[in-house]
Amino acid sequence: MGVKQPSTADRRVQRTRASLRQALVELLAERGWDGFSVQDVCDRANVGRSTFYTHFADKEELVAGSFDDLRRALRAGLPAPTRGPRRPLAFTRGLIEHGLEQRRVFLAIVGKRSGLVVQRRFRDLVLGLVREDLAAGPAGVVPREAVVAFVGGALLEVLTWALEAKGTPDAAELDALFHRLVAPVLVEAGVLPGVV
């Protein structure tokens, strides 16, 4: 279940939550998931434990809230379609840009030090975004959840490859590469029309 959340309209609440998220990100990158406690997060954020527990039940809920914020930011950053439906997987450019800008943090998230909790939450974020984008399309021959798993897994792997590689392409090139790679699957699934 979780802690009853205070109103996020209050600027103090927003600042506190932002401080806690920033502390979590720093500690995750420095120590890995198992290397810090709630008290460490509080100390880094200069927030009391009781304040932490006013906002979050535990570290896992703090991670979930951080990924929820990222999801909202990715959706909010998408331009409104001028005609017809939005391009499938339009969120990928924003996710790739964020990953490249926050390379150290993303490497901690996808790496061994993040712990299973963080990896699962990030995977759930990506699969959820893919699922939302593909839900509006027509049903194809391939089961929709298989397409979601394939495309989401491909995005995670391409992002991980780019973050670990030397001489990584810029976000636009990486996004274009990803879309070229998954286009045949999206055509087969009936999400994109015609021949690739």
XYZ file of all heavy atoms in Angstrom, residues 25-116:
725
model
N 19.404 9.252 -6.053
C 20.158 9.104 -7.296
C 21.661 9.117 -7.022
O 22.408 8.275 -7.524
C 19.751 10.222 -8.291
C 20.741 10.357 -9.417
C 18.354 9.967 -8.833
N 22.098 10.063 -6.208
C 23.525 10.160 -5.889
C 24.021 8.912 -5.172
O 25.075 8.366 -5.507
C 23.784 11.399 -5.021
C 23.597 12.706 -5.758
C 23.632 13.915 -4.828
O 23.872 13.751 -3.602
O 23.401 15.036 -5.330
N 23.263 8.473 -4.174
C 23.674 7.298 -3.402
C 23.642 6.025 -4.244
O 24.514 5.169 -4.111
C 22.809 7.151 -2.150
C 23.070 8.212 -1.084
C 21.950 8.221 -0.041
C 24.418 7.980 -0.414
N 22.656 5.915 -5.106
C 22.575 4.747 -5.982
C 23.800 4.682 -6.883
O 24.424 3.628 -7.033
C 21.299 4.803 -6.817
C 21.034 3.641 -7.754
C 20.900 2.341 -6.990
C 19.773 3.887 -8.568
N 24.175 5.822 -7.457
C 25.350 5.860 -8.342
C 26.643 5.591 -7.562
O 27.540 4.932 -8.073
C 25.426 7.209 -9.052
N 26.727 6.084 -6.334
C 27.948 5.932 -5.534
C 28.090 4.550 -4.894
O 29.178 3.984 -4.872
C 27.965 6.964 -4.394
C 28.174 8.371 -4.839
C 27.952 9.366 -3.704
O 27.966 8.968 -2.513
O 27.755 10.554 -4.006
N 27.002 4.049 -4.335
C 27.106 2.864 -3.475
C 26.337 1.643 -3.943
O 26.481 0.571 -3.365
C 26.597 3.205 -2.073
C 27.318 4.358 -1.419
C 26.773 4.544 -0.024
N 27.221 5.790 0.567
C 26.793 6.234 1.733
N 25.931 5.516 2.435
N 27.235 7.380 2.203
N 25.467 1.802 -4.924
C 24.616 0.684 -5.306
C 23.439 0.573 -4.354
O 23.444 1.126 -3.255
N 22.409 -0.141 -4.771
C 21.149 -0.227 -4.032
C 21.317 -0.718 -2.594
O 20.729 -0.177 -1.666
C 20.171 -1.122 -4.787
C 18.861 -1.291 -4.091
C 18.418 -2.403 -3.434
C 17.822 -0.325 -3.976
N 17.172 -2.183 -2.928
C 16.779 -0.910 -3.247
C 17.669 0.987 -4.420
C 15.594 -0.240 -2.949
C 16.489 1.661 -4.120
C 15.479 1.050 -3.394
N 22.103 -1.733 -2.404
C 22.255 -2.311 -1.071
C 23.255 -1.562 -0.200
O 23.409 -1.887 0.974
C 22.668 -3.782 -1.177
C 21.565 -4.629 -1.807
O 20.382 -4.350 -1.539
O 21.894 -5.549 -2.581
N 23.910 -0.547 -0.730
C 24.962 0.149 -0.009
C 24.516 1.367 0.785
O 25.348 2.087 1.329
N 23.221 1.617 0.841
C 22.747 2.765 1.616
C 21.375 2.477 2.201
O 20.648 1.613 1.727
C 22.721 4.042 0.766
C 21.746 4.022 -0.373
C 20.472 4.537 -0.226
C 22.111 3.503 -1.603
C 19.577 4.525 -1.281
C 21.228 3.485 -2.667
C 19.955 3.997 -2.502
N 21.057 3.222 3.237
C 19.794 3.044 3.973
C 18.925 4.292 3.822
O 19.356 5.313 3.282
C 20.095 2.823 5.455
O 20.677 4.007 5.993
N 17.720 4.202 4.357
C 16.839 5.366 4.402
C 17.527 6.497 5.163
O 17.457 7.656 4.766
C 15.479 5.007 5.041
C 14.685 6.259 5.404
C 14.670 4.111 4.113
N 18.215 6.155 6.252
C 18.913 7.182 7.025
C 19.976 7.880 6.181
O 20.143 9.093 6.265
C 19.551 6.589 8.285
C 20.178 7.646 9.190
C 19.154 8.656 9.692
O 18.155 8.276 10.297
N 19.387 9.946 9.436
N 20.680 7.121 5.337
C 21.668 7.731 4.445
C 21.004 8.719 3.481
O 21.547 9.794 3.202
C 22.421 6.661 3.657
C 23.287 5.778 4.536
O 23.864 6.278 5.514
O 23.375 4.564 4.229
N 19.842 8.340 2.959
C 19.100 9.233 2.060
C 18.713 10.503 2.810
O 18.893 11.616 2.305
C 17.848 8.535 1.479
C 17.000 9.518 0.678
C 18.231 7.341 0.622
N 18.215 10.335 4.025
C 17.809 11.495 4.839
C 18.999 12.401 5.123
O 18.888 13.630 5.003
C 17.175 11.031 6.151
S 15.604 10.185 5.928
N 20.116 11.797 5.499
C 21.317 12.586 5.785
C 21.759 13.362 4.546
O 22.077 14.555 4.630
C 22.459 11.690 6.267
C 22.196 11.091 7.643
O 21.277 11.565 8.361
O 22.909 10.123 8.001
N 21.793 12.700 3.409
C 22.237 13.351 2.172
C 21.284 14.477 1.773
O 21.712 15.524 1.292
C 22.331 12.302 1.060
C 22.770 12.801 -0.290
C 24.237 13.228 -0.376
N 25.161 12.187 -0.050
C 25.841 11.462 -0.934
N 25.712 11.700 -2.225
N 26.671 10.527 -0.530
N 19.987 14.259 1.982
C 18.986 15.265 1.604
C 18.784 16.334 2.674
O 18.054 17.297 2.446
C 17.657 14.580 1.316
N 19.431 16.123 3.835
C 19.261 17.025 4.971
C 17.790 17.107 5.382
O 17.224 18.182 5.552
C 19.828 18.416 4.673
C 20.063 19.207 5.941
O 20.212 18.645 7.022
N 20.082 20.527 5.803
N 17.185 15.921 5.522
C 15.773 15.778 5.864
C 15.673 14.775 7.003
O 16.391 13.775 7.014
C 14.991 15.265 4.627
C 13.593 14.845 4.980
C 14.985 16.299 3.525
N 14.778 15.019 7.937
C 14.581 14.083 9.039
C 13.877 12.811 8.595
O 13.136 12.813 7.606
N 14.103 11.735 9.349
C 13.460 10.455 9.017
C 11.940 10.563 9.031
O 11.259 9.982 8.190
C 13.900 9.354 9.996
C 15.252 8.777 9.685
C 15.652 7.724 10.716
N 14.913 6.490 10.579
C 15.287 5.451 9.843
N 16.409 5.516 9.147
N 14.562 4.364 9.790
N 11.410 11.297 9.996
C 9.946 11.416 10.068
C 9.416 12.117 8.817
O 8.338 11.767 8.317
C 9.512 12.148 11.331
O 10.036 13.460 11.352
N 10.178 13.082 8.294
C 9.773 13.752 7.055
C 9.821 12.772 5.889
O 8.908 12.740 5.055
C 10.681 14.974 6.774
O 10.581 15.871 7.866
C 10.285 15.663 5.492
N 10.881 11.948 5.834
C 10.966 10.929 4.784
C 9.714 10.062 4.815
O 9.061 9.847 3.789
C 12.212 10.049 4.972
C 12.316 8.951 3.955
C 13.025 9.131 2.790
C 11.674 7.721 4.149
C 13.117 8.121 1.835
C 11.749 6.711 3.204
C 12.476 6.916 2.046
N 9.364 9.566 6.004
C 8.232 8.642 6.118
C 6.880 9.324 5.942
O 5.873 8.655 5.726
C 8.313 7.873 7.437
C 9.441 6.861 7.431
C 10.504 6.952 8.324
C 9.462 5.819 6.503
C 11.542 6.035 8.302
C 10.501 4.901 6.467
C 11.526 5.019 7.377
O 12.557 4.108 7.343
N 6.858 10.647 5.959
C 5.635 11.371 5.609
C 5.373 11.241 4.113
O 4.232 11.224 3.675
C 5.780 12.873 5.969
O 5.970 12.977 7.367
C 4.562 13.662 5.551
N 6.458 11.124 3.356
C 6.349 11.084 1.897
C 6.430 9.671 1.310
O 5.779 9.388 0.310
C 7.458 11.941 1.273
C 7.352 13.375 1.629
N 6.564 14.261 0.953
C 7.937 14.094 2.632
C 6.659 15.462 1.496
N 7.488 15.385 2.518
N 7.259 8.808 1.914
C 7.518 7.486 1.342
C 7.580 6.436 2.441
O 8.048 6.708 3.539
C 8.857 7.488 0.572
C 8.926 8.527 -0.502
C 9.621 9.711 -0.300
C 8.274 8.339 -1.714
C 9.672 10.688 -1.290
C 8.322 9.302 -2.702
C 9.023 10.485 -2.493
N 7.166 5.225 2.113
C 7.196 4.135 3.083
C 8.601 3.544 3.224
O 8.982 3.086 4.295
C 6.219 3.035 2.674
N 9.375 3.568 2.121
C 10.707 2.956 2.125
C 11.464 3.387 0.868
O 10.952 4.178 0.070
C 10.596 1.425 2.203
C 9.664 0.835 1.145
O 9.475 1.448 0.077
O 9.124 -0.255 1.388
N 12.675 2.870 0.704
C 13.489 3.216 -0.467
C 12.794 2.803 -1.761
O 12.875 3.510 -2.761
C 14.855 2.513 -0.417
C 15.812 3.039 0.579
C 17.236 2.456 0.488
C 17.408 1.077 -0.024
N 18.808 0.593 -0.004
N 12.136 1.665 -1.741
C 11.486 1.179 -2.957
C 10.393 2.137 -3.421
O 10.261 2.410 -4.610
C 10.910 -0.222 -2.740
C 10.386 -0.825 -4.014
C 10.003 -2.287 -3.883
O 10.515 -2.972 -2.982
O 9.197 -2.730 -4.706
N 9.633 2.671 -2.481
C 8.591 3.622 -2.849
C 9.200 4.927 -3.371
O 8.658 5.559 -4.275
C 7.676 3.894 -1.656
C 6.383 4.569 -2.062
C 5.384 4.626 -0.931
O 4.840 3.564 -0.566
O 5.168 5.733 -0.407
N 10.336 5.329 -2.826
C 11.043 6.505 -3.330
C 11.497 6.275 -4.768
O 11.355 7.150 -5.626
C 12.232 6.837 -2.425
C 13.144 7.996 -2.848
C 12.377 9.290 -3.057
C 14.252 8.182 -1.819
N 12.022 5.092 -5.063
C 12.416 4.743 -6.435
C 11.199 4.777 -7.359
O 11.248 5.348 -8.452
C 13.094 3.347 -6.490
C 13.193 2.839 -7.913
C 14.455 3.399 -5.854
N 10.108 4.169 -6.905
C 8.892 4.143 -7.719
C 8.424 5.560 -8.028
O 8.054 5.872 -9.168
C 7.795 3.359 -7.011
N 8.461 6.439 -7.033
C 8.060 7.825 -7.246
C 8.964 8.538 -8.228
O 8.508 9.332 -9.053
N 10.252 8.236 -8.172
C 11.204 8.847 -9.100
C 10.922 8.411 -10.531
O 10.957 9.226 -11.467
C 12.637 8.477 -8.708
O 12.932 8.987 -7.425
N 10.633 7.126 -10.712
C 10.320 6.642 -12.060
C 8.967 7.163 -12.544
O 8.789 7.427 -13.733
C 10.382 5.117 -12.123
C 11.786 4.581 -12.144
C 12.113 3.437 -11.440
C 12.793 5.210 -12.851
C 13.407 2.932 -11.452
C 14.090 4.716 -12.873
C 14.388 3.575 -12.163
N 8.012 7.342 -11.631
C 6.731 7.944 -12.008
C 6.943 9.374 -12.503
O 6.337 9.800 -13.484
C 5.751 7.947 -10.830
C 5.225 6.567 -10.488
O 5.373 5.636 -11.323
O 4.674 6.406 -9.378
N 7.824 10.107 -11.821
C 8.140 11.475 -12.246
C 8.780 11.473 -13.637
O 8.457 12.313 -14.477
C 9.086 12.148 -11.254
C 8.431 12.434 -9.914
O 7.184 12.396 -9.823
O 9.182 12.693 -8.946
N 9.693 10.535 -13.875
C 10.343 10.431 -15.180
C 9.314 10.112 -16.257
O 9.321 10.715 -17.334
C 11.440 9.363 -15.158
C 12.135 9.073 -16.485
C 12.771 10.325 -17.076
C 13.177 7.963 -16.306
N 8.412 9.202 -15.967
C 7.358 8.842 -16.920
C 6.515 10.063 -17.287
O 6.257 10.338 -18.464
C 6.471 7.746 -16.337
C 5.408 7.278 -17.282
C 4.343 6.443 -16.534
N 3.194 6.289 -17.368
C 2.287 7.217 -17.612
N 2.385 8.406 -17.083
N 1.278 6.986 -18.404
N 6.089 10.827 -16.277
C 5.287 12.030 -16.535
C 6.078 13.043 -17.356
O 5.536 13.659 -18.274
C 4.821 12.647 -15.219
C 3.598 11.962 -14.622
C 3.008 12.760 -13.467
N 3.899 12.805 -12.310
C 3.986 11.839 -11.387
N 3.254 10.763 -11.494
N 4.812 11.968 -10.372
N 7.346 13.218 -17.033
C 8.173 14.173 -17.779
C 8.327 13.751 -19.236
O 8.269 14.591 -20.141
C 9.550 14.312 -17.111
N 8.508 12.457 -19.469
C 8.644 11.974 -20.846
C 7.357 12.195 -21.626
O 7.391 12.601 -22.789
C 9.021 10.485 -20.864
C 10.431 10.154 -20.397
C 10.598 8.646 -20.243
C 11.476 10.722 -21.347
N 6.222 11.929 -21.009
C 4.942 12.135 -21.687
C 4.653 13.618 -21.902
O 4.158 14.016 -22.947
C 3.799 11.490 -20.889
C 3.793 9.989 -20.945
C 3.489 9.524 -22.333
N 3.379 8.076 -22.386
C 3.679 7.370 -23.439
N 4.110 7.953 -24.528
N 3.558 6.066 -23.427
N 4.995 14.440 -20.917
C 4.742 15.881 -21.020
C 5.621 16.523 -22.087
O 5.223 17.518 -22.700
C 4.979 16.562 -19.674
N 6.791 15.958 -22.334
C 7.725 16.525 -23.303
C 7.400 16.206 -24.744
O 8.065 16.696 -25.648
N 6.374 15.404 -24.984
C 6.030 15.030 -26.357
C 5.191 16.113 -27.009
O 4.246 16.615 -26.412
C 5.242 13.714 -26.368
C 6.004 12.485 -25.914
C 5.078 11.274 -25.886
C 7.188 12.217 -26.809
N 5.521 16.472 -28.251
C 4.690 17.460 -28.940
C 3.336 16.837 -29.294
O 3.234 15.630 -29.523
C 5.495 17.769 -30.208
C 6.357 16.572 -30.416
C 6.621 15.987 -29.055
N 2.328 17.673 -29.322
C 1.003 17.200 -29.721
C 1.049 16.859 -31.211
O 1.681 17.576 -31.993
C -0.043 18.275 -29.462
N 0.390 15.768 -31.616
C 0.406 15.422 -33.043
C -0.342 16.483 -33.849
O -1.363 16.993 -33.412
C -0.313 14.069 -33.095
C -1.087 13.971 -31.828
C -0.398 14.841 -30.821
N 0.208 16.828 -35.014
C -0.449 17.828 -35.857
C -1.592 17.201 -36.653
O -2.604 17.830 -36.874
C 0.567 18.472 -36.815
O 1.252 17.442 -37.529
C 1.558 19.325 -36.062
N -1.400 15.978 -37.079
C -2.452 15.261 -37.809
C -2.389 13.798 -37.429
O -1.313 13.209 -37.376
C -2.237 15.338 -39.315
C -2.563 16.635 -39.883
C -2.580 16.513 -41.396
N -2.571 17.854 -41.923
C -1.947 18.244 -42.989
N -1.278 17.386 -43.695
N -1.998 19.486 -43.385
N -3.519 13.219 -37.201
C -3.572 11.793 -36.911
C -2.928 11.444 -35.579
O -2.603 12.312 -34.776
N -2.712 10.167 -35.367
C -2.152 9.722 -34.089
C -0.667 10.053 -33.980
O 0.013 10.255 -34.974
C -2.368 8.202 -34.121
C -2.479 7.857 -35.557
C -3.047 9.066 -36.255
N -0.208 10.107 -32.760
C 1.210 10.364 -32.485
C 2.026 9.177 -32.977
O 1.582 8.041 -32.954
C 1.392 10.544 -30.981
C 2.832 10.807 -30.581
C 2.959 11.039 -29.096
N 2.492 12.376 -28.793
C 1.837 12.712 -27.693
N 1.566 11.826 -26.792
N 1.442 13.947 -27.503
N 3.253 9.442 -33.401
C 4.172 8.402 -33.856
C 4.383 7.405 -32.716
O 4.643 7.802 -31.585
C 5.487 9.065 -34.245
C 6.652 8.131 -34.455
C 7.902 8.905 -34.839
N 8.656 9.360 -33.698
C 9.856 8.873 -33.363
N 10.418 7.942 -34.082
N 10.481 9.337 -32.322
N 4.290 6.104 -32.991
C 4.532 5.119 -31.934
C 5.942 5.267 -31.358
O 6.888 5.536 -32.086
C 4.389 3.768 -32.631
C 3.749 4.035 -33.939
C 4.000 5.472 -34.273
N 6.047 5.131 -30.069
C 7.319 5.151 -29.351
C 8.019 6.507 -29.433
O 9.233 6.592 -29.387
C 8.242 4.035 -29.844
C 7.628 2.632 -29.897
C 8.598 1.645 -30.524
C 7.197 2.187 -28.525
N 7.245 7.578 -29.503
C 7.820 8.916 -29.573
C 8.575 9.291 -28.303
O 9.436 10.162 -28.323
C 6.724 9.947 -29.853
N 8.283 8.630 -27.209
C 8.949 8.925 -25.934
C 10.418 8.520 -25.927
O 11.187 8.972 -25.070
C 8.240 8.219 -24.770
C 8.464 6.738 -24.764
C 9.544 6.191 -24.079
C 7.615 5.887 -25.458
C 9.776 4.823 -24.086
C 7.834 4.521 -25.458
C 8.910 3.988 -24.775
N 10.829 7.647 -26.862
C 12.184 7.094 -26.796
C 13.262 8.158 -26.896
O 14.296 8.063 -26.226
C 12.415 6.014 -27.882
O 12.209 6.583 -29.180
C 11.480 4.833 -27.680
N 13.047 9.179 -27.697
C 14.052 10.236 -27.834
C 14.311 10.902 -26.486
O 15.451 11.121 -26.091
C 13.594 11.257 -28.881
C 14.458 12.497 -29.004
C 15.751 12.213 -29.773
N 16.541 13.408 -29.907
C 16.488 14.226 -30.950
N 15.693 13.975 -31.974
N 17.245 15.294 -30.983
N 13.248 11.233 -25.752
C 13.403 11.855 -24.442
C 14.104 10.945 -23.449
O 14.949 11.392 -22.671
N 13.777 9.659 -23.480
C 14.420 8.702 -22.574
C 15.902 8.568 -22.906
O 16.751 8.552 -22.015
C 13.733 7.337 -22.656
C 14.295 6.263 -21.723
C 14.120 6.659 -20.259
C 13.614 4.927 -21.994
N 16.220 8.498 -24.182
C 17.618 8.389 -24.612
C 18.387 9.655 -24.219
O 19.499 9.567 -23.688
C 17.702 8.106 -26.125
C 17.215 6.674 -26.410
C 19.118 8.325 -26.648
C 16.963 6.376 -27.877
N 17.807 10.825 -24.473
C 18.476 12.067 -24.086
C 18.734 12.107 -22.583
O 19.824 12.463 -22.140
C 17.624 13.279 -24.495
C 17.645 13.549 -25.970
C 16.673 14.648 -26.392
O 15.848 15.097 -25.552
O 16.732 15.041 -27.563
N 17.728 11.732 -21.812
C 17.867 11.722 -20.346
C 18.950 10.724 -19.927
O 19.779 11.027 -19.060
C 16.529 11.377 -19.700
C 16.523 11.507 -18.223
N 16.637 12.721 -17.585
C 16.425 10.577 -17.247
C 16.607 12.535 -16.277
N 16.489 11.241 -16.045
N 18.956 9.557 -20.556
C 19.972 8.552 -20.235
C 21.379 9.029 -20.537
O 22.295 8.821 -19.744
N 21.557 9.675 -21.675
C 22.882 10.171 -22.046
C 23.325 11.321 -21.145
O 24.493 11.408 -20.775
C 22.905 10.594 -23.514
C 22.730 9.463 -24.535
C 22.659 10.025 -25.953
C 23.825 8.431 -24.427
N 22.374 12.192 -20.777
C 22.703 13.305 -19.890
C 23.047 12.812 -18.484
O 23.885 13.387 -17.805
C 21.521 14.278 -19.796
C 21.289 15.087 -21.045
C 19.947 15.809 -21.032
O 19.241 15.797 -19.999
O 19.597 16.395 -22.072
N 22.382 11.769 -18.053
C 22.565 11.228 -16.701
C 23.268 9.869 -16.769
O 22.890 8.930 -16.069
C 21.200 11.087 -16.006
C 20.428 12.366 -15.885
C 21.076 13.318 -14.913
O 21.649 12.908 -13.921
N 20.989 14.606 -15.209
N 24.277 9.756 -17.623
C 24.955 8.484 -17.901
C 25.327 7.722 -16.626
O 25.040 6.542 -16.505
C 26.198 8.740 -18.746
C 27.075 7.519 -18.888
C 28.206 7.771 -19.834
N 27.707 7.281 -21.099
C 27.905 7.838 -22.272
N 28.631 8.880 -22.384
N 27.391 7.321 -23.350
N 25.968 8.378 -15.684
C 26.429 7.700 -14.469
C 25.255 7.078 -13.705
O 25.340 5.947 -13.240
C 27.180 8.711 -13.595
C 27.788 8.114 -12.369
C 28.721 9.134 -11.699
N 29.057 8.682 -10.389
C 28.792 9.335 -9.277
N 28.201 10.498 -9.320
N 29.127 8.839 -8.112
N 24.175 7.823 -13.592
C 22.996 7.328 -12.876
C 22.368 6.166 -13.638
O 22.038 5.141 -13.051
C 21.968 8.463 -12.671
C 20.669 7.926 -12.098
C 22.549 9.547 -11.787
N 22.218 6.314 -14.954
C 21.596 5.245 -15.738
C 22.443 3.981 -15.730
O 21.914 2.881 -15.674
C 21.303 5.709 -17.167
C 19.917 6.255 -17.329
C 19.575 7.477 -16.774
C 18.948 5.546 -18.000
C 18.305 7.985 -16.888
C 17.665 6.038 -18.131
C 17.333 7.272 -17.579
N 23.756 4.142 -15.771
C 24.612 2.957 -15.681
C 24.423 2.274 -14.332
O 24.454 1.044 -14.244
C 26.073 3.323 -15.924
C 26.437 3.552 -17.379
C 27.856 4.101 -17.506
C 26.281 2.279 -18.199
N 24.225 3.060 -13.285
C 23.962 2.472 -11.972
C 22.611 1.754 -11.974
O 22.459 0.692 -11.375
C 23.987 3.544 -10.888
N 21.625 2.312 -12.665
C 20.287 1.706 -12.706
C 20.308 0.388 -13.465
O 19.733 -0.596 -13.020
C 19.272 2.686 -13.346
C 18.988 3.830 -12.378
C 17.983 1.966 -13.731
C 18.179 4.957 -12.980
N 20.968 0.351 -14.614
C 20.945 -0.866 -15.429
C 22.053 -1.838 -15.052
O 22.056 -2.972 -15.504
C 21.006 -0.550 -16.947
C 19.807 0.268 -17.374
C 22.302 0.134 -17.333
N 22.983 -1.411 -14.212
C 24.105 -2.261 -13.841
C 23.814 -3.160 -12.657
O 22.739 -3.131 -12.063
N 24.803 -3.953 -12.297
C 24.665 -4.925 -11.217
C 24.477 -4.267 -9.863
O 23.871 -4.845 -8.972
C 25.892 -5.829 -11.180
C 26.023 -6.701 -12.397
C 27.301 -7.501 -12.361
C 27.430 -8.277 -13.667
N 28.746 -8.823 -13.845
N 24.992 -3.052 -9.681
C 24.939 -2.403 -8.376
C 23.550 -1.882 -8.018
O 23.283 -1.576 -6.877
C 25.928 -1.235 -8.335
C 27.357 -1.699 -8.513
C 28.323 -0.578 -8.364
N 28.324 -0.153 -6.964
C 28.625 1.065 -6.564
N 28.956 1.978 -7.426
N 28.614 1.375 -5.286
N 22.669 -1.783 -8.992
C 21.370 -1.177 -8.722
C 20.469 -2.072 -7.893
O 19.572 -1.601 -7.223
C 20.662 -0.820 -10.022
O 20.246 -1.987 -10.694
N 20.672 -3.341 -7.960
C 19.776 -4.248 -7.259
C 18.564 -4.564 -8.109
O 18.182 -3.816 -9.003
N 17.972 -5.675 -7.818
C 16.826 -6.162 -8.580
C 15.633 -5.216 -8.508
O 14.912 -5.041 -9.479
C 16.447 -7.560 -8.064
C 15.587 -8.406 -8.961
C 16.168 -8.513 -10.352
C 15.399 -9.783 -8.360
